[in-house]
Amino acid sequence: IIKFDSNGKKIKTIVLPVTHPTSCCFGGDDLSTLFITTSKLAFSNKQKQEQLLAGKILSLQTNNKGQIMRRFKG
């Protein structure tokens, strides 16, 4: 996962224990927890054994806060 500042400059890289992250969003009580979905679709048995967290949801506490997204009402 790569974090960029408001000018587009890369300021942080987070290395995950999986090779196929699929999506991420902020959540938790104060929106500072980053949730990351991962995939193990089409993995070989060897890859599944090497990446035990693949196919799981990972979470990281951050110093950043997400924003509440308003649902579209039509």
Side-chain angles (χ1 to χ4, degrees):
I1 295 178
I2 300 171
K3 178 181 177 181
F4 296 91
D5 68 13
S6 60
N7 295 316
K9 179 182 175 188
K10 182 167 84 170
I11 57 175
K12 186 173 185 177
T13 299
I14 300 170
V15 178
L16 299 176
V18 297
T19 57
H20 290 84
T22 55
S23 187
C24 59
C25 67
F26 284 97
D29 292 336
D30 64 354
L31 297 176
S32 66
T33 304
L34 182 64
F35 292 97
I36 305 150
T37 58
T38 68
S39 176
K40 64 179 178 179
L41 190 64
F43 269 23
S44 68
N45 286 333
K46 181 181 178 190
Q47 288 172 307
K48 289 177 186 176
Q49 291 173 350
E50 293 172 346
Q51 297 184 51
L52 297 176
L53 295 176
K56 309 284 187 200
I57 298 173
L58 308 177
S59 65
L60 299 169
Q61 275 306 123
T62 70
N63 294 326
N64 302 89
K65 290 188 179 187
Q67 297 178 11
I68 294 175
M69 299 300 293
R70 304 289 178 214
R71 293 190 182 264
F72 180 68
K73 294 183 181 181

